[in-house]
Amino acid sequence: MRVPILMYHSVSEAANDAFAPFAVRPAEFARQIAHIADRGMTTLTVADLVARRASGQVIPARSVVITFDDGFSDFMTEALPVLVAHGAVATQYVVSDLVGGTSGWLADVGEGHRPLMDGPAMREADAAGIEIGAHTRTHPRLDDLAPQRAQDEIEGSKSRIEDLIGRAVTTFAYPYGLYHAGTVAAVRRAGFAGACAVRYRTSPPDDDQFALARLIVRRGIRDDAFAALLQGNDSTPGMAVDRLRAWGWRSLRALRRGMSKP
Ligand SMILES: [Zn+2]
């Protein structure tokens, strides 16, 4: 069965123009999770979805996976209480060298000071049923790195997070959704069971367990468009999907590259 895997980043009011698409407002998030609960959908973690598919277990009808990238601290204040209130679980992908620090990799777009979850926050989330997954040590573009450095970013994040939460970390998310065959091989070698990519569609039963398709939930998405997104239909009014892709996800990279020119 096809499963929508939703991808969130920050849940907060405050964000500059460049980052705003990746900062869903708390009121929007609360409505979205209420919608999922009202529809009687079952939430699964990525680890659970991957394990069920690998072992041929049944995936409940109307399942949905809720994921967060980057480990922003606002997860604890704006997202976790909403998830807990609805009995929902989720997966949070954290950047292991920056636990308790700030989002330095976003400095080029003026958002380098967003606080990130610390160890106690990760353990609190874990205790509430949230899967803590790995998102590298420093949030680099893995497709640009020498193999040895990529391997260190991948393996190092896994072991560091395991030390912090005292539990095996079994899934990974590629920063910026970027990977190539060598990256996937490194993720497998590190012992992960699965990994999330960004592919703008619902995840089919035979999805690549190391490049799971995700759907980005952007700030300002209308409630009807969110309902459609759960069907894999990225139909934010007024914008073609391709334009949205270019605008939303890659613009951060383009901006970073443009601004980092000497
Ligand atoms: Zn990220």
Side-chain angles (χ1 to χ4, degrees):
M1 106 149 25
R2 299 188 73 93
V3 177
I5 306 178
L6 304 178
M7 178 189 196
Y8 290 93
H9 293 83
S10 174
V11 181
S12 61
E13 288 289 342
N16 70 16
D17 288 350
F19 189 71
F22 306 101
V24 169
R25 293 186 183 90
E28 292 171 348
F29 181 77
R31 281 205 310 280
Q32 289 159 6
I33 302 307
H35 174 83
I36 285 169
D38 290 347
R39 288 193 60 201
M41 298 184 81
T42 300
T43 56
L44 303 174
T45 62
V46 178
D48 194 12
L49 175 70
V50 165
R52 284 173 186 254
R53 281 182 172 162
S55 62
Q57 286 179 68
V58 172
I59 309 279
R62 290 195 292 178
S63 288
V64 59
V65 177
I66 303 167
T67 73
F68 297 80
D69 278 19
D70 302 337
F72 293 112
S73 290
D74 53 50
F75 176 79
M76 300 303 292
T77 52
E78 307 297 344
L80 185 59
V82 175
L83 294 168
V84 168
H86 290 288
V89 296
T91 298
Q92 172 64 262
Y93 289 107
V94 305
V95 182
S96 65
D97 279 12
L98 302 179
V99 166
T102 57
S103 53
W105 73 92
L106 291 173
D108 289 350
V109 294
E111 288 281 8
H113 297 288
R114 299 184 82 89
L116 303 175
M117 290 164 65
D118 58 12
M122 287 161 56
R123 287 190 286 277
E124 184 183 339
D126 172 82
I130 304 301
E131 176 195 6
I132 307 294
H135 195 42
T136 71
R137 292 178 56 186
T138 65
H139 208 280
R141 296 170 42 105
L142 285 173
D143 61 338
D144 274 355
L145 290 189
Q148 192 55 49
R149 277 203 57 208
Q151 188 81 39
D152 178 60
E153 283 278 352
I154 294 163
E155 287 177 3
S157 66
K158 186 176 193 292
S159 56
R160 172 73 176 137
I161 298 163
E162 288 175 345
D163 286 348
L164 284 168
I165 65 172
R167 184 193 296 277
V169 170
T170 61
T171 75
F172 181 85
Y174 305 101
Y176 311 103
L178 297 172
Y179 61 96
H180 52 48
T183 321
V184 173
V187 170
R188 287 175 176 270
R189 265 198 308 278
F192 288 102
C196 286
V198 188
R199 283 161 49 214
Y200 307 96
R201 58 187 179 111
T202 55
S203 171
D206 61 348
D207 203 359
D208 183 342
Q209 296 273 71
F210 287 88
L212 295 164
R214 287 193 291 176
L215 296 151
I216 299 179
V217 184
R218 295 176 183 79
R219 172 183 290 228
I221 185 172
R222 283 176 18 185
D223 292 352
D224 57 348
F226 179 77
L229 191 68
L230 291 172
Q231 314 297 324
N233 180 14
D234 194 339
S235 62
T236 303
M239 286 193 189
V241 171
D242 283 344
R243 265 190 67 203
L244 254 184
R245 287 175 187 174
W247 167 67
W249 191 237
R250 307 235 157 87
S251 64
L252 269 187
R253 288 172 53 201
L255 210 55
R256 284 170 60 88
R257 285 181 148 177
M259 293 178 73
S260 61
K261 277 177 192 161

